Structure formats: C-alpha cells, structure tokens
Amino acid sequence: MRHAVVTAGSKGLGKKVTEQLLQKGCSVTVNFRSDLSRVNELKEEWKEYADRLQFVQGDVTQKEDIKNIFTQAMKRFGRIDYLINNAGPYISERKKLVDYTDKEWYEMIEGNLSSVYHFLKLVIPVMRKQKFGRIITYGFHEAEHAPGWVYRSAYGAAKVGLVSLTKTVALEEAEHGITVNMVSPGDIVGEMKELSIAETRDIADSNTPIGRPGSGEDIARVIDFLCDEDSDMITGSVISIAGGVDVVNKFRQYHHSEN
C-alpha cells in the first residue's frame, strides 16, 4: 500500500488532496498545525479509513516539527511514497517589502521554501531505497517565469526559489525512480478549496475565463495523476491549474504617493 504525507492536510486544498489519496487506496499521514477540533471532525468523517490514517501536529516552519512528522509516518507505516508539500503560510495583508517585519519575511521563506528542503532531506533517502517516490510542491500561476508580484514579495520570492529547487531535485533524483513536480493553483478562495468540481459548476464566476471558480478537487485530481506509477515521464514540471486566470496581475495597481 502506498503511503502519503500531506502537510496542512486537514483544511482547504489539503483536505481535498487527502480525501483523494484515501479514496485511491493510500494510507495517509496528515499534518495539521493547531486545530484539534477540526481533526476530531475529520476522524468522524473519515472513520472508514481509520486503519490507514493518522494525524500529526506540527508547524512546518519548525525543523524539529518536520522531523517528528517524518518519524511518525515511518513509525506507523514504514514507508513514504508521496510527499505533498501542501502547507505554505501566506500573508493576506497587501503591503510592500519595506513594511514587512523580519518575522513575517522569515515565516514566508521558512514555511514555503526551507520546509520543503528539510522534508526532502528526510524523505529522499527513503524513496531511494524504495526506488520510487512522488514529490509535489505548490507554486503560483507563472511562478516559473519569476514575475514581480506587488505586495507579495516574500511569498513570491520563496515560491520562485521553490520552482528552481523542484526542477533541480527532479534532475538529481530521476535515476532513483523519484519524480518532483509543482502544481500552481489559481485564485481558489474560501470554501471553494473544499468543494468538488461538480459543486462549482453551479457557481458562475465572471473573473475566470472558463466561467466557474476553481475547487480543491481540481488540484487533487492533478496531484493524483502525478502520483501514478505511469506518470514517471512527468518530472520537473510546473503545472498551472488556474482556469486561465492571471493571478499575479489580477489586482495589479500602482498608487504613487504624493509628496
């Protein structure tokens, strides 16, 4: 049985990814940061999968927490086939680089880039022994082109760095049967993150060229496909799942201060 580790897998996009992998027949270690009541709800919702599901608390900005997530996954299931780096802190407030605190900057870098580094260091040796592994990172639309993203300097810098890391490790580990790919969700917000595709088809969205909002299932389906054994020809790829929306430029405006 394949085993997956999904960071931040109890809410939002991560919940739909976890659900998809459970339905696929995998066992899953779900990392969550702090919401125990949510975990208890999911234990009830997913009780049919209880024998192949575990929850591990931890903050991916903390190296020791990452080590514990890895240790608990190996202790119970003895293998890691899929590493889904779904967690990634984000600052909703729109502000320029000079207005960031050091703490905010480092949280963005540690949570979106360094966390993947620490996971890779732990997981790749396991996958090499298995001669099989599927690693998924998350970016944003056109991150591979290193665009400027107004008010998102720290997050953008971390994710653009993650593109290069994704492509590099894909090349380094290809000989071991390990693929590494990035998915780039579009402007999927709020409750849409946990909806199915069928549920979003009834919701009109004039801001999306395809006419409906994106859903968590849109992301989960692509990740499921990339994790398949026969998807080994796809590695080092950045796949946008945005419905045609240019996320970076969607709200780009320039306000010049008057002196």
Side-chain angles (χ1 to χ4, degrees), residues 10-11 32-42 55 57-58:
S10 64
K11 292 182 177 180
F32 70 101
R33 189 172 66 176
S34 59
D35 195 341
L36 285 166
S37 62
R38 172 65 158 179
V39 168
N40 288 329
E41 290 172 5
L42 290 178
F55 294 88
Q57 189 167 4

PDB file of all heavy atoms in Angstrom, residues 10-11 32-42 55 57-58:
ATOM      1  N   SER A  10      -5.545  18.915   6.646  1.00  0.00           N
ATOM      2  CA  SER A  10      -6.861  18.817   7.293  1.00  0.00           C
ATOM      3  C   SER A  10      -7.828  19.911   6.871  1.00  0.00           C
ATOM      4  O   SER A  10      -9.004  19.879   7.220  1.00  0.00           O
ATOM      5  CB  SER A  10      -6.700  18.861   8.825  1.00  0.00           C
ATOM      6  OG  SER A  10      -6.174  20.114   9.237  1.00  0.00           O
ATOM      7  N   LYS A  11      -7.329  20.897   6.123  1.00  0.00           N
ATOM      8  CA  LYS A  11      -8.177  22.023   5.716  1.00  0.00           C
ATOM      9  C   LYS A  11      -7.891  22.422   4.280  1.00  0.00           C
ATOM     10  O   LYS A  11      -6.830  22.124   3.734  1.00  0.00           O
ATOM     11  CB  LYS A  11      -7.913  23.239   6.614  1.00  0.00           C
ATOM     12  CG  LYS A  11      -8.358  23.109   8.048  1.00  0.00           C
ATOM     13  CD  LYS A  11      -8.068  24.402   8.801  1.00  0.00           C
ATOM     14  CE  LYS A  11      -8.577  24.324  10.241  1.00  0.00           C
ATOM     15  NZ  LYS A  11      -8.294  25.579  10.973  1.00  0.00           N
ATOM     16  N   PHE A  32      -1.190  18.696  10.700  1.00  0.00           N
ATOM     17  CA  PHE A  32      -2.013  19.871  10.964  1.00  0.00           C
ATOM     18  C   PHE A  32      -1.263  20.726  11.981  1.00  0.00           C
ATOM     19  O   PHE A  32      -0.418  20.232  12.725  1.00  0.00           O
ATOM     20  CB  PHE A  32      -3.393  19.479  11.496  1.00  0.00           C
ATOM     21  CG  PHE A  32      -3.379  18.916  12.905  1.00  0.00           C
ATOM     22  CD1 PHE A  32      -3.730  19.697  13.988  1.00  0.00           C
ATOM     23  CD2 PHE A  32      -2.994  17.591  13.135  1.00  0.00           C
ATOM     24  CE1 PHE A  32      -3.709  19.177  15.278  1.00  0.00           C
ATOM     25  CE2 PHE A  32      -2.969  17.058  14.425  1.00  0.00           C
ATOM     26  CZ  PHE A  32      -3.329  17.855  15.503  1.00  0.00           C
ATOM     27  N   ARG A  33      -1.559  22.016  11.995  1.00  0.00           N
ATOM     28  CA  ARG A  33      -0.795  22.908  12.864  1.00  0.00           C
ATOM     29  C   ARG A  33      -1.376  23.017  14.268  1.00  0.00           C
ATOM     30  O   ARG A  33      -0.668  22.851  15.247  1.00  0.00           O
ATOM     31  CB  ARG A  33      -0.658  24.299  12.244  1.00  0.00           C
ATOM     32  CG  ARG A  33       0.309  25.198  13.014  1.00  0.00           C
ATOM     33  CD  ARG A  33       0.577  26.500  12.284  1.00  0.00           C
ATOM     34  NE  ARG A  33      -0.608  27.335  12.192  1.00  0.00           N
ATOM     35  CZ  ARG A  33      -0.631  28.550  11.667  1.00  0.00           C
ATOM     36  NH1 ARG A  33       0.479  29.069  11.163  1.00  0.00           N
ATOM     37  NH2 ARG A  33      -1.755  29.242  11.612  1.00  0.00           N
ATOM     38  N   SER A  34      -2.702  23.307  14.377  1.00  0.00           N
ATOM     39  CA  SER A  34      -3.217  23.573  15.725  1.00  0.00           C
ATOM     40  C   SER A  34      -4.684  23.238  15.961  1.00  0.00           C
ATOM     41  O   SER A  34      -5.104  23.118  17.114  1.00  0.00           O
ATOM     42  CB  SER A  34      -2.996  25.054  16.070  1.00  0.00           C
ATOM     43  OG  SER A  34      -3.647  25.885  15.124  1.00  0.00           O
ATOM     44  N   ASP A  35      -5.479  23.069  14.902  1.00  0.00           N
ATOM     45  CA  ASP A  35      -6.929  22.957  15.065  1.00  0.00           C
ATOM     46  C   ASP A  35      -7.347  21.514  15.396  1.00  0.00           C
ATOM     47  O   ASP A  35      -7.707  20.724  14.508  1.00  0.00           O
ATOM     48  CB  ASP A  35      -7.623  23.434  13.784  1.00  0.00           C
ATOM     49  CG  ASP A  35      -9.109  23.682  13.995  1.00  0.00           C
ATOM     50  OD1 ASP A  35      -9.664  23.167  14.980  1.00  0.00           O
ATOM     51  OD2 ASP A  35      -9.715  24.384  13.161  1.00  0.00           O
ATOM     52  N   LEU A  36      -7.348  21.198  16.682  1.00  0.00           N
ATOM     53  CA  LEU A  36      -7.695  19.841  17.127  1.00  0.00           C
ATOM     54  C   LEU A  36      -9.167  19.525  16.900  1.00  0.00           C
ATOM     55  O   LEU A  36      -9.519  18.372  16.616  1.00  0.00           O
ATOM     56  CB  LEU A  36      -7.353  19.679  18.610  1.00  0.00           C
ATOM     57  CG  LEU A  36      -5.862  19.526  18.928  1.00  0.00           C
ATOM     58  CD1 LEU A  36      -5.610  19.710  20.422  1.00  0.00           C
ATOM     59  CD2 LEU A  36      -5.351  18.165  18.470  1.00  0.00           C
ATOM     60  N   SER A  37     -10.043  20.516  17.029  1.00  0.00           N
ATOM     61  CA  SER A  37     -11.471  20.260  16.819  1.00  0.00           C
ATOM     62  C   SER A  37     -11.729  19.845  15.376  1.00  0.00           C
ATOM     63  O   SER A  37     -12.572  18.973  15.108  1.00  0.00           O
ATOM     64  CB  SER A  37     -12.305  21.494  17.176  1.00  0.00           C
ATOM     65  OG  SER A  37     -11.964  22.594  16.344  1.00  0.00           O
ATOM     66  N   ARG A  38     -11.003  20.445  14.439  1.00  0.00           N
ATOM     67  CA  ARG A  38     -11.122  20.075  13.029  1.00  0.00           C
ATOM     68  C   ARG A  38     -10.674  18.638  12.825  1.00  0.00           C
ATOM     69  O   ARG A  38     -11.313  17.872  12.095  1.00  0.00           O
ATOM     70  CB  ARG A  38     -10.269  21.025  12.189  1.00  0.00           C
ATOM     71  CG  ARG A  38     -10.140  20.643  10.726  1.00  0.00           C
ATOM     72  CD  ARG A  38     -11.480  20.709  10.001  1.00  0.00           C
ATOM     73  NE  ARG A  38     -11.282  20.860   8.583  1.00  0.00           N
ATOM     74  CZ  ARG A  38     -12.264  20.928   7.703  1.00  0.00           C
ATOM     75  NH1 ARG A  38     -13.513  20.866   8.106  1.00  0.00           N
ATOM     76  NH2 ARG A  38     -12.011  21.072   6.412  1.00  0.00           N
ATOM     77  N   VAL A  39      -9.597  18.255  13.462  1.00  0.00           N
ATOM     78  CA  VAL A  39      -9.090  16.883  13.353  1.00  0.00           C
ATOM     79  C   VAL A  39     -10.119  15.889  13.880  1.00  0.00           C
ATOM     80  O   VAL A  39     -10.360  14.843  13.267  1.00  0.00           O
ATOM     81  CB  VAL A  39      -7.755  16.739  14.106  1.00  0.00           C
ATOM     82  CG1 VAL A  39      -7.370  15.270  14.249  1.00  0.00           C
ATOM     83  CG2 VAL A  39      -6.657  17.504  13.381  1.00  0.00           C
ATOM     84  N   ASN A  40     -10.753  16.219  14.993  1.00  0.00           N
ATOM     85  CA  ASN A  40     -11.770  15.323  15.553  1.00  0.00           C
ATOM     86  C   ASN A  40     -12.963  15.179  14.611  1.00  0.00           C
ATOM     87  O   ASN A  40     -13.548  14.096  14.490  1.00  0.00           O
ATOM     88  CB  ASN A  40     -12.228  15.842  16.925  1.00  0.00           C
ATOM     89  CG  ASN A  40     -11.159  15.661  17.989  1.00  0.00           C
ATOM     90  OD1 ASN A  40     -10.370  14.712  17.927  1.00  0.00           O
ATOM     91  ND2 ASN A  40     -11.110  16.564  18.955  1.00  0.00           N
ATOM     92  N   GLU A  41     -13.306  16.272  13.926  1.00  0.00           N
ATOM     93  CA  GLU A  41     -14.392  16.210  12.934  1.00  0.00           C
ATOM     94  C   GLU A  41     -14.013  15.273  11.788  1.00  0.00           C
ATOM     95  O   GLU A  41     -14.837  14.473  11.319  1.00  0.00           O
ATOM     96  CB  GLU A  41     -14.675  17.604  12.374  1.00  0.00           C
ATOM     97  CG  GLU A  41     -15.324  18.561  13.349  1.00  0.00           C
ATOM     98  CD  GLU A  41     -15.399  19.982  12.790  1.00  0.00           C
ATOM     99  OE1 GLU A  41     -15.034  20.178  11.599  1.00  0.00           O
ATOM    100  OE2 GLU A  41     -15.802  20.898  13.534  1.00  0.00           O
ATOM    101  N   LEU A  42     -12.769  15.377  11.333  1.00  0.00           N
ATOM    102  CA  LEU A  42     -12.317  14.549  10.215  1.00  0.00           C
ATOM    103  C   LEU A  42     -12.203  13.086  10.602  1.00  0.00           C
ATOM    104  O   LEU A  42     -12.438  12.202   9.777  1.00  0.00           O
ATOM    105  CB  LEU A  42     -10.978  15.069   9.685  1.00  0.00           C
ATOM    106  CG  LEU A  42     -11.031  16.406   8.953  1.00  0.00           C
ATOM    107  CD1 LEU A  42      -9.635  16.832   8.522  1.00  0.00           C
ATOM    108  CD2 LEU A  42     -11.951  16.324   7.728  1.00  0.00           C
ATOM    109  N   PHE A  55      -3.023  11.510  12.148  1.00  0.00           N
ATOM    110  CA  PHE A  55      -2.840  12.952  12.191  1.00  0.00           C
ATOM    111  C   PHE A  55      -1.641  13.272  13.083  1.00  0.00           C
ATOM    112  O   PHE A  55      -1.521  12.719  14.176  1.00  0.00           O
ATOM    113  CB  PHE A  55      -4.091  13.632  12.758  1.00  0.00           C
ATOM    114  CG  PHE A  55      -5.309  13.499  11.881  1.00  0.00           C
ATOM    115  CD1 PHE A  55      -6.160  12.403  12.011  1.00  0.00           C
ATOM    116  CD2 PHE A  55      -5.608  14.459  10.928  1.00  0.00           C
ATOM    117  CE1 PHE A  55      -7.280  12.270  11.206  1.00  0.00           C
ATOM    118  CE2 PHE A  55      -6.734  14.338  10.119  1.00  0.00           C
ATOM    119  CZ  PHE A  55      -7.574  13.240  10.254  1.00  0.00           C
ATOM    120  N   GLN A  57       0.455  16.608  14.649  1.00  0.00           N
ATOM    121  CA  GLN A  57       0.514  18.054  14.815  1.00  0.00           C
ATOM    122  C   GLN A  57       1.934  18.550  14.569  1.00  0.00           C
ATOM    123  O   GLN A  57       2.912  17.901  14.925  1.00  0.00           O
ATOM    124  CB  GLN A  57       0.062  18.436  16.220  1.00  0.00           C
ATOM    125  CG  GLN A  57      -0.115  19.929  16.429  1.00  0.00           C
ATOM    126  CD  GLN A  57      -0.865  20.247  17.717  1.00  0.00           C
ATOM    127  OE1 GLN A  57      -1.197  19.354  18.499  1.00  0.00           O
ATOM    128  NE2 GLN A  57      -1.146  21.520  17.939  1.00  0.00           N
ATOM    129  N   GLY A  58       2.045  19.739  13.967  1.00  0.00           N
ATOM    130  CA  GLY A  58       3.369  20.298  13.739  1.00  0.00           C
ATOM    131  C   GLY A  58       3.318  21.544  12.873  1.00  0.00           C
ATOM    132  O   GLY A  58       2.432  21.697  12.029  1.00  0.00           O
TER     133      GLY A  58
END
